[in-house]
Amino acid sequence: MSAKKVTFEQQLARLEEIVAALEKGDAQLADSLALFEEGTKLIAACSKQLDQAEQQVVKLMKGADGAPVELPFETQED
């Protein structure tokens, strides 16, 4: 029996739910602690996925000599 893989977007949505519940402040202490623990695990998992994506982007961006080139993401200002 295989476990269903949770997407990054699903993890992020769940993290947003947890933050909203904790900000509301009406959960019992034990429930708040469980939510906090779940949230910290989600943060770690999301951070790992973002790091992996960043490394993949760096690998895909190669200079003329074939070496990876890191370029900052440009922000657009209005």
Side-chain angles (χ1 to χ4, degrees):
M1 184 173 181
S2 64
K4 181 180 176 188
K5 184 171 178 168
V6 179
T7 67
F8 176 80
E9 290 77 11
Q10 290 170 322
Q11 290 175 329
L12 193 55
R14 178 60 183 147
L15 187 55
E16 289 172 352
E17 291 172 0
I18 291 170
V19 169
L22 290 173
E23 285 178 340
K24 194 172 179 184
D26 60 356
Q28 296 290 322
L29 179 59
D31 294 336
S32 293
L33 289 172
L35 287 170
F36 184 80
E37 181 179 8
E38 182 183 355
T40 57
K41 288 178 182 177
L42 286 169
I43 289 169
C46 288
S47 293
K48 181 179 177 182
Q49 288 180 44
L50 288 172
D51 289 343
Q52 290 171 344
E54 181 181 10
Q55 290 304 313
Q56 187 171 359
V57 168
V58 169
K59 286 179 188 176
L60 293 172
M61 298 173 63
K62 296 189 182 224
D65 61 355
V69 176
E70 286 193 54
L71 301 172
F73 288 106
E74 294 185 26
T75 58
Q76 293 182 357
E77 295 181 17
D78 292 330

